[in-house]
Amino acid sequence: MLRMSLGVILAGGLSLVAATSADANTDAAARLLVPHRAIYDLKLKNASERSGIEGMFGRMVYEFTGSACTGFSTNFRLVTKISTGEETRLSDQQTTTFEDMAANQFHFETKSFTDEQLDKQLSGDASIVDKGIKVEITQPDGREIELPSSDFPTSHMLDVIANAKQGKSFFEARVFDGSENGDQALLTTTVIGKSQSAQKDDVDADKAGEFAKSSFWPVTIAYFNENAVGDPTPVYNMSFKLYENGITRDLTMDYGDFVLSGSLAKLELLKPQQDPCPAPAK
């Protein structure tokens, strides 16, 4: 069953007491998320002949800041060098987002470069409304789109952590993150393994610093197009090891025709912003 967004649940008639309790639980979980900057080294794990890719490597930088009260910001940059045997090209994707969980609003901006030349720019805003979410694209063209009820990325991550802590191994959700052309939400299925600790052969556990010995959950999320028919194939799958504080490592990104692996190379904890919100009632 697809998880409905908070806005739609409230529209469905939950009592004020129940809504306040749900908000308090979400706020308490959000306070556990740690502001951080993570750098991942990427390399090609495998590629089909159809992909035309003979070699690929790169680096991904992910920065997560903010608080439950002020909202959460992400800065993401993915740089890869791709070899087809006949040519080599440099791909650079830069994305920033801001998610205001209290106001149910989400802002996104993406710039994509090929060989240092800008070839795509996208920006817009999304908000939860009574019947779903409303998306306002500001670049490259001004337009409005209405989509079914969806989670924004940080809210979805909190759902993953909540399900993991409850021992649930599978759940579904619809997620909007402003990717591609910013005009569609993706259906997701999430598989969560049992909590475990790093083993001696764990590829990047030593880069997790003070969290190296903390327990984590192995997670795999598959993303599907909304309008897929029959037995749909995921647009892509992402597997990773997830800590309760939102930090991830040991990534595998499966795009169908090729697969990338990402090892945590450096983790930097950032100074938390002052949170003006009062602590949730116990």
Short mmCIF file of all heavy atoms in Angstrom, two decimals, residues 162-206:
data_model
loop_
_atom_site.label_atom_id
_atom_site.label_comp_id
_atom_site.label_asym_id
_atom_site.label_seq_id
_atom_site.Cartn_x
_atom_site.Cartn_y
_atom_site.Cartn_z
N ALA A 162 12.22 4.85 10.16
CA ALA A 162 11.13 4.45 11.06
C ALA A 162 10.74 2.99 10.84
O ALA A 162 10.55 2.23 11.79
CB ALA A 162 9.92 5.36 10.86
N ASN A 163 10.62 2.58 9.57
CA ASN A 163 10.29 1.19 9.26
C ASN A 163 11.40 0.25 9.72
O ASN A 163 11.13 -0.84 10.23
CB ASN A 163 10.04 1.03 7.76
CG ASN A 163 8.63 1.41 7.35
OD1 ASN A 163 7.71 0.60 7.37
ND2 ASN A 163 8.45 2.68 6.99
N ALA A 164 12.65 0.67 9.54
CA ALA A 164 13.78 -0.16 9.97
C ALA A 164 13.76 -0.36 11.48
O ALA A 164 13.96 -1.48 11.98
CB ALA A 164 15.09 0.49 9.54
N LYS A 165 13.49 0.69 12.23
CA LYS A 165 13.48 0.60 13.70
C LYS A 165 12.32 -0.26 14.20
O LYS A 165 12.40 -0.86 15.26
CB LYS A 165 13.41 2.00 14.30
CG LYS A 165 14.67 2.83 14.04
CD LYS A 165 14.54 4.25 14.55
CE LYS A 165 14.59 4.31 16.05
NZ LYS A 165 14.66 5.72 16.55
N GLN A 166 11.25 -0.32 13.40
CA GLN A 166 10.10 -1.14 13.77
C GLN A 166 10.25 -2.59 13.31
O GLN A 166 9.37 -3.41 13.55
CB GLN A 166 8.83 -0.54 13.17
CG GLN A 166 8.45 0.81 13.75
CD GLN A 166 7.32 1.48 12.99
OE1 GLN A 166 6.53 0.83 12.31
NE2 GLN A 166 7.26 2.81 13.07
N GLY A 167 11.36 -2.89 12.64
CA GLY A 167 11.60 -4.25 12.18
C GLY A 167 10.86 -4.62 10.92
O GLY A 167 10.78 -5.80 10.56
N LYS A 168 10.32 -3.63 10.20
CA LYS A 168 9.60 -3.90 8.95
C LYS A 168 10.61 -4.03 7.81
O LYS A 168 11.50 -3.20 7.67
CB LYS A 168 8.60 -2.79 8.67
CG LYS A 168 7.50 -2.69 9.72
CD LYS A 168 6.51 -1.58 9.39
CE LYS A 168 5.42 -1.49 10.45
NZ LYS A 168 4.45 -0.40 10.15
N SER A 169 10.43 -5.05 7.00
CA SER A 169 11.42 -5.34 5.96
C SER A 169 11.03 -4.82 4.59
O SER A 169 11.86 -4.85 3.66
CB SER A 169 11.66 -6.85 5.87
OG SER A 169 10.44 -7.52 5.54
N PHE A 170 9.79 -4.32 4.43
CA PHE A 170 9.35 -3.90 3.10
C PHE A 170 8.26 -2.84 3.22
O PHE A 170 7.37 -2.95 4.07
CB PHE A 170 8.80 -5.10 2.33
CG PHE A 170 8.31 -4.76 0.94
CD1 PHE A 170 9.17 -4.71 -0.13
CD2 PHE A 170 6.96 -4.50 0.72
CE1 PHE A 170 8.71 -4.40 -1.41
CE2 PHE A 170 6.49 -4.19 -0.54
CZ PHE A 170 7.37 -4.14 -1.61
N PHE A 171 8.35 -1.80 2.40
CA PHE A 171 7.24 -0.86 2.29
C PHE A 171 7.32 -0.14 0.95
O PHE A 171 8.36 -0.14 0.28
CB PHE A 171 7.19 0.12 3.46
CG PHE A 171 8.17 1.27 3.39
CD1 PHE A 171 7.77 2.53 2.96
CD2 PHE A 171 9.49 1.09 3.77
CE1 PHE A 171 8.66 3.59 2.90
CE2 PHE A 171 10.39 2.14 3.72
CZ PHE A 171 9.97 3.40 3.28
N GLU A 172 6.22 0.47 0.55
CA GLU A 172 6.13 1.18 -0.72
C GLU A 172 5.79 2.65 -0.47
O GLU A 172 5.15 2.99 0.53
CB GLU A 172 5.04 0.56 -1.61
CG GLU A 172 5.33 -0.88 -2.00
CD GLU A 172 4.20 -1.47 -2.84
OE1 GLU A 172 3.03 -1.08 -2.62
OE2 GLU A 172 4.48 -2.30 -3.71
N ALA A 173 6.21 3.50 -1.37
CA ALA A 173 5.90 4.92 -1.27
C ALA A 173 6.05 5.56 -2.64
O ALA A 173 6.72 5.03 -3.52
CB ALA A 173 6.82 5.61 -0.26
N ARG A 174 5.41 6.69 -2.81
CA ARG A 174 5.60 7.51 -4.00
C ARG A 174 6.45 8.70 -3.59
O ARG A 174 6.17 9.35 -2.58
CB ARG A 174 4.26 7.97 -4.57
CG ARG A 174 4.38 8.74 -5.88
CD ARG A 174 3.04 9.29 -6.34
NE ARG A 174 2.16 8.25 -6.87
CZ ARG A 174 1.07 7.81 -6.27
NH1 ARG A 174 0.72 8.30 -5.09
NH2 ARG A 174 0.32 6.88 -6.81
N VAL A 175 7.51 9.01 -4.35
CA VAL A 175 8.47 10.04 -3.96
C VAL A 175 8.65 11.05 -5.08
O VAL A 175 8.79 10.69 -6.25
CB VAL A 175 9.84 9.40 -3.62
CG1 VAL A 175 10.86 10.48 -3.26
CG2 VAL A 175 9.70 8.41 -2.47
N PHE A 176 8.66 12.33 -4.69
CA PHE A 176 9.00 13.41 -5.63
C PHE A 176 10.27 14.07 -5.15
O PHE A 176 10.34 14.57 -4.02
CB PHE A 176 7.88 14.45 -5.71
CG PHE A 176 8.22 15.60 -6.62
CD1 PHE A 176 8.02 15.51 -7.98
CD2 PHE A 176 8.78 16.77 -6.10
CE1 PHE A 176 8.37 16.57 -8.83
CE2 PHE A 176 9.12 17.82 -6.93
CZ PHE A 176 8.92 17.72 -8.30
N ASP A 177 11.31 14.11 -6.02
CA ASP A 177 12.58 14.72 -5.63
C ASP A 177 13.06 15.77 -6.64
O ASP A 177 14.18 16.28 -6.52
CB ASP A 177 13.66 13.66 -5.42
CG ASP A 177 13.94 12.84 -6.68
OD1 ASP A 177 13.37 13.15 -7.75
OD2 ASP A 177 14.73 11.88 -6.60
N GLY A 178 12.24 16.08 -7.65
CA GLY A 178 12.62 17.10 -8.62
C GLY A 178 13.63 16.65 -9.64
O GLY A 178 14.19 17.47 -10.37
N SER A 179 13.88 15.35 -9.74
CA SER A 179 14.88 14.85 -10.68
C SER A 179 14.33 14.81 -12.11
O SER A 179 13.15 15.05 -12.35
CB SER A 179 15.35 13.46 -10.26
OG SER A 179 14.26 12.56 -10.21
N GLU A 180 15.22 14.47 -13.04
CA GLU A 180 14.89 14.44 -14.47
C GLU A 180 14.32 15.80 -14.91
O GLU A 180 14.99 16.80 -14.83
CB GLU A 180 13.92 13.30 -14.77
CG GLU A 180 14.52 11.92 -14.52
CD GLU A 180 15.73 11.62 -15.39
OE1 GLU A 180 15.79 12.12 -16.54
OE2 GLU A 180 16.63 10.90 -14.93
N ASN A 181 13.05 15.84 -15.32
CA ASN A 181 12.45 17.10 -15.77
C ASN A 181 11.57 17.74 -14.70
O ASN A 181 10.89 18.73 -14.96
CB ASN A 181 11.62 16.86 -17.03
CG ASN A 181 12.47 16.42 -18.21
OD1 ASN A 181 13.54 16.98 -18.44
ND2 ASN A 181 12.03 15.40 -18.93
N GLY A 182 11.58 17.17 -13.50
CA GLY A 182 10.83 17.74 -12.39
C GLY A 182 9.33 17.65 -12.53
O GLY A 182 8.60 18.35 -11.84
N ASP A 183 8.86 16.77 -13.42
CA ASP A 183 7.42 16.72 -13.69
C ASP A 183 6.79 15.37 -13.39
O ASP A 183 5.70 15.06 -13.86
CB ASP A 183 7.15 17.10 -15.15
CG ASP A 183 7.90 16.21 -16.13
OD1 ASP A 183 8.63 15.29 -15.69
OD2 ASP A 183 7.76 16.44 -17.35
N GLN A 184 7.48 14.54 -12.60
CA GLN A 184 6.89 13.26 -12.25
C GLN A 184 7.39 12.77 -10.89
O GLN A 184 8.48 13.13 -10.44
CB GLN A 184 7.21 12.20 -13.31
CG GLN A 184 8.68 11.85 -13.42
CD GLN A 184 8.95 10.70 -14.39
OE1 GLN A 184 8.11 9.82 -14.57
NE2 GLN A 184 10.12 10.70 -15.01
N ALA A 185 6.53 11.99 -10.24
CA ALA A 185 6.92 11.30 -9.02
C ALA A 185 7.20 9.85 -9.39
O ALA A 185 6.69 9.34 -10.39
CB ALA A 185 5.80 11.37 -7.99
N LEU A 186 8.03 9.19 -8.61
CA LEU A 186 8.36 7.80 -8.86
C LEU A 186 7.80 6.91 -7.75
O LEU A 186 7.82 7.29 -6.58
CB LEU A 186 9.88 7.61 -8.95
CG LEU A 186 10.59 8.29 -10.12
CD1 LEU A 186 12.10 8.08 -10.02
CD2 LEU A 186 10.08 7.77 -11.46
N LEU A 187 7.30 5.76 -8.14
CA LEU A 187 6.90 4.76 -7.16
C LEU A 187 8.15 4.05 -6.66
O LEU A 187 9.06 3.76 -7.44
CB LEU A 187 5.94 3.75 -7.79
CG LEU A 187 4.63 4.31 -8.33
CD1 LEU A 187 3.81 3.20 -8.99
CD2 LEU A 187 3.82 4.97 -7.23
N THR A 188 8.21 3.78 -5.37
CA THR A 188 9.38 3.12 -4.81
C THR A 188 8.99 1.91 -3.98
O THR A 188 7.93 1.89 -3.35
CB THR A 188 10.20 4.06 -3.90
OG1 THR A 188 9.44 4.37 -2.72
CG2 THR A 188 10.55 5.35 -4.62
N THR A 189 9.84 0.90 -4.01
CA THR A 189 9.74 -0.22 -3.09
C THR A 189 11.04 -0.27 -2.31
O THR A 189 12.13 -0.17 -2.89
CB THR A 189 9.52 -1.56 -3.82
OG1 THR A 189 10.62 -1.82 -4.70
CG2 THR A 189 8.23 -1.52 -4.63
N THR A 190 10.94 -0.40 -1.00
CA THR A 190 12.12 -0.40 -0.13
C THR A 190 12.21 -1.71 0.62
O THR A 190 11.25 -2.15 1.26
CB THR A 190 12.04 0.76 0.87
OG1 THR A 190 11.98 2.01 0.16
CG2 THR A 190 13.27 0.77 1.78
N VAL A 191 13.38 -2.35 0.51
CA VAL A 191 13.66 -3.59 1.24
C VAL A 191 14.72 -3.28 2.29
O VAL A 191 15.78 -2.73 1.97
CB VAL A 191 14.15 -4.70 0.29
CG1 VAL A 191 14.50 -5.96 1.08
CG2 VAL A 191 13.10 -5.00 -0.77
N ILE A 192 14.43 -3.63 3.53
CA ILE A 192 15.31 -3.31 4.66
C ILE A 192 15.77 -4.59 5.33
O ILE A 192 14.95 -5.41 5.75
CB ILE A 192 14.59 -2.41 5.68
CG1 ILE A 192 14.00 -1.18 5.00
CG2 ILE A 192 15.55 -2.00 6.80
CD1 ILE A 192 13.06 -0.39 5.88
N GLY A 193 17.08 -4.77 5.45
CA GLY A 193 17.62 -5.93 6.13
C GLY A 193 17.69 -5.70 7.63
O GLY A 193 17.43 -4.61 8.14
N LYS A 194 18.05 -6.74 8.35
CA LYS A 194 18.15 -6.64 9.81
C LYS A 194 19.37 -5.81 10.21
O LYS A 194 20.38 -5.77 9.51
CB LYS A 194 18.25 -8.04 10.42
CG LYS A 194 16.97 -8.86 10.25
CD LYS A 194 17.10 -10.21 10.94
CE LYS A 194 15.79 -11.00 10.81
NZ LYS A 194 15.88 -12.32 11.48
N SER A 195 19.25 -5.15 11.34
CA SER A 195 20.34 -4.33 11.86
C SER A 195 21.59 -5.19 12.06
O SER A 195 21.51 -6.33 12.54
CB SER A 195 19.92 -3.70 13.19
OG SER A 195 20.98 -2.96 13.75
N GLN A 196 22.74 -4.65 11.67
CA GLN A 196 23.99 -5.39 11.80
C GLN A 196 25.14 -4.44 12.02
O GLN A 196 25.01 -3.22 11.87
CB GLN A 196 24.23 -6.25 10.56
CG GLN A 196 24.20 -5.49 9.25
CD GLN A 196 24.21 -6.42 8.05
OE1 GLN A 196 25.26 -6.64 7.44
NE2 GLN A 196 23.05 -6.95 7.71
N SER A 197 26.29 -5.00 12.37
CA SER A 197 27.50 -4.21 12.59
C SER A 197 28.52 -4.55 11.52
O SER A 197 28.44 -5.59 10.86
CB SER A 197 28.08 -4.50 13.98
OG SER A 197 27.14 -4.15 14.99
N ALA A 198 29.50 -3.66 11.35
CA ALA A 198 30.51 -3.85 10.31
C ALA A 198 31.36 -5.08 10.59
O ALA A 198 31.69 -5.39 11.74
CB ALA A 198 31.39 -2.61 10.23
N GLN A 199 31.71 -5.80 9.51
CA GLN A 199 32.61 -6.95 9.59
C GLN A 199 34.02 -6.52 9.16
O GLN A 199 34.23 -5.42 8.66
CB GLN A 199 32.09 -8.07 8.70
CG GLN A 199 30.68 -8.52 9.02
CD GLN A 199 30.53 -9.06 10.43
OE1 GLN A 199 31.31 -9.90 10.86
NE2 GLN A 199 29.53 -8.55 11.16
N LYS A 200 34.98 -7.41 9.35
CA LYS A 200 36.37 -7.07 9.05
C LYS A 200 36.58 -6.71 7.59
O LYS A 200 37.43 -5.88 7.26
CB LYS A 200 37.28 -8.24 9.43
CG LYS A 200 37.41 -8.45 10.94
CD LYS A 200 38.39 -9.57 11.25
CE LYS A 200 38.55 -9.76 12.75
NZ LYS A 200 39.51 -10.86 13.07
N ASP A 201 35.80 -7.34 6.69
CA ASP A 201 35.99 -7.09 5.26
C ASP A 201 35.06 -6.01 4.72
O ASP A 201 34.93 -5.84 3.52
CB ASP A 201 35.78 -8.39 4.47
CG ASP A 201 34.38 -8.98 4.69
OD1 ASP A 201 33.68 -8.52 5.60
OD2 ASP A 201 34.02 -9.91 3.94
N ASP A 202 34.40 -5.27 5.61
CA ASP A 202 33.49 -4.19 5.18
C ASP A 202 34.31 -3.11 4.49
O ASP A 202 35.26 -2.56 5.07
CB ASP A 202 32.76 -3.62 6.40
CG ASP A 202 31.38 -3.12 6.05
OD1 ASP A 202 31.19 -2.70 4.90
OD2 ASP A 202 30.50 -3.15 6.91
N VAL A 203 33.93 -2.78 3.24
CA VAL A 203 34.81 -2.00 2.37
C VAL A 203 35.16 -0.61 2.87
O VAL A 203 36.28 -0.13 2.68
CB VAL A 203 34.21 -1.90 0.95
CG1 VAL A 203 34.19 -3.26 0.29
CG2 VAL A 203 32.80 -1.31 0.99
N ASP A 204 34.22 0.10 3.49
CA ASP A 204 34.49 1.49 3.84
C ASP A 204 34.07 1.85 5.26
O ASP A 204 33.91 3.03 5.59
CB ASP A 204 33.81 2.44 2.85
CG ASP A 204 32.30 2.19 2.74
OD1 ASP A 204 31.80 1.28 3.42
OD2 ASP A 204 31.64 2.90 1.97
N ALA A 205 33.92 0.84 6.11
CA ALA A 205 33.48 1.09 7.49
C ALA A 205 34.45 2.00 8.23
O ALA A 205 34.04 2.83 9.04
CB ALA A 205 33.32 -0.23 8.23
N ASP A 206 35.75 1.86 7.94
CA ASP A 206 36.75 2.65 8.66
C ASP A 206 36.65 4.14 8.35
O ASP A 206 37.17 4.97 9.10
CB ASP A 206 38.15 2.14 8.33
CG ASP A 206 38.48 2.25 6.85
OD1 ASP A 206 37.58 2.02 6.03
OD2 ASP A 206 39.63 2.56 6.52
#
